[in-house]
Amino acid sequence: MTDHRSVDVAGVRLAYQVSGPPDAPPLLLLHALGEDAADWDVVAPVFAGGWRVYALDLRGHGRSDWPGEYSLQLMRDDVLGFLDALALGRVDLIGHSMGGIVAYLFAEEHPQRVGRLVLEDVGVPRPRKQSTPTRPDGKLTFDWEMVLAVRRQVDTPDPEWLERLSEITAETLVVAGGQGSHVPQAGIAELAGRVAQGRVITIPAGHLVHHAEPEAFAEVVLKFLRPSGDGCNDLKPETKYAGWANLPNGKQRVVIEDC
């Protein structure tokens, strides 16, 4: 069962969804630009089997406040305030796209608060060609001013973000979407290489990995968050997702190369 709740963090109301056993270890999910906590509904029930899962609406998104002041650093600080407000100490953390940037900024700034870190299709922070996005028609579920502020930062990131990747102490899995993603895959590999305990796995599903291949995404993340120690089920550096295998009982499982 998923509960919808909210908490005040420094005058900003942050909405979130929570599921899983109350006494289970905490897992925090951070969504992409323009999404909200519900974006994780396709995989959150799987994680809720072993974790207390918190899916947050970042400021300017969904049911959280749209305060008119936006930056990725403010979102990072909101995460700290959220964890403190709920008395959550050390958490496992998953972030997709923009949420992945917020996640690694948080892991850089507060390494002691992150157990294991998963970044879904997140590139290395380097300047890129700037462009002005076009506002979609109709009513939005996010603040358009937030989009403009975040895009400016993604296009011209603070050089410190890149320099501090080496300060992340959490074991880190970077899930790449392969050539179907708009994110340069070499940059994803570079990001993982700059993290001391970083590794890459490629699931060739494009940028929206957890939506396009939810079973594969959930399985590789579960293997990473809860390694078996048998030498095969644990993910290895630069492992690639190969596909599905049919089992005698008619079910399917993900196949990981090298296992």
Side-chain angles (χ1 to χ4, degrees):
M1 178 179 177
T2 300
D3 291 335
H4 297 265
R5 304 179 184 179
S6 64
V7 64
D8 183 273
V9 174
V12 176
R13 185 180 63 89
L14 296 178
Y16 65 99
Q17 297 180 180
V18 60
S19 57
D23 58 348
L27 172 65
L28 178 61
L29 309 179
L30 302 179
H31 59 77
L33 180 66
E35 301 291 345
D36 55 36
D39 183 62
W40 295 105
D41 286 354
V42 67
V43 292
V46 178
F47 299 135
W51 284 265
R52 182 68 164 172
V53 178
Y54 300 86
L56 181 63
D57 284 1
L58 293 164
R59 67 165 59 203
H61 291 83
R63 296 180 300 114
S64 286
D65 281 346
W66 300 10
E69 185 178 4
Y70 302 108
S71 73
L72 292 163
Q73 292 94 329
L74 285 172
M75 293 180 183
R76 173 201 64 194
D77 295 344
D78 287 345
V79 170
L80 177 63
F82 175 78
L83 296 183
D84 287 347
L86 272 61
L88 300 174
R90 188 177 178 89
V91 300
D92 291 330
L93 181 57
I94 302 176
H96 175 220
S97 196
M98 181 200 74
I101 299 176
V102 176
Y104 74 61
L105 291 179
F106 182 79
E108 290 176 349
E109 189 74 12
H110 306 286
Q112 74 282 2
R113 301 295 291 270
V114 182
R116 291 192 172 219
L117 176 64
V118 179
L119 305 175
E120 180 187 348
D121 215 50
V122 182
V124 70
R126 292 191 182 279
R128 67 183 189 183
K129 183 178 180 180
Q130 298 184 44
S131 62
T132 302
T134 301
R135 186 191 187 282
D137 294 332
K139 185 177 181 180
L140 302 179
T141 59
F142 51 87
D143 190 342
W144 185 246
E145 291 303 314
M146 176 276 304
V147 172
L148 297 178
V150 167
R151 281 290 298 270
R152 285 193 294 269
Q153 285 195 288
V154 173
D155 289 344
T156 56
D158 186 333
E160 188 177 80
W161 299 358
L162 180 66
E163 296 167 4
R164 297 190 66 188
L165 287 172
S166 61
E167 299 179 21
I168 296 175
T169 58
E171 289 194 46
T172 300
L173 173 66
V174 184
V175 180
Q179 296 307 310
S181 170
H182 70 275
V183 179
Q185 299 297 287
I188 293 176
E190 181 185 351
L191 184 150
R194 286 177 172 268
V195 177
Q197 298 191 78
R199 65 188 75 176
V200 179
I201 182 169
T202 298
I203 300 177
H207 186 57
L208 307 178
V209 181
H210 72 275
H211 270 278
E213 292 284 1
E215 295 90 351
F217 180 83
E219 183 159 346
V220 298
V221 171
L222 287 173
K223 286 178 182 292
F224 173 71
L225 294 179
R226 184 178 289 160
S228 68
D230 66 5
C232 178
N233 288 333
D234 299 348
L235 293 177
K236 301 175 183 179
E238 299 182 2
T239 301
K240 291 187 178 181
Y241 160 70
W244 293 103
N246 292 316
L247 301 180
N249 60 8
K251 296 184 178 179
Q252 294 181 313
R253 71 178 299 276
V254 67
V255 176
I256 305 297
E257 292 179 358
D258 298 327
C259 278

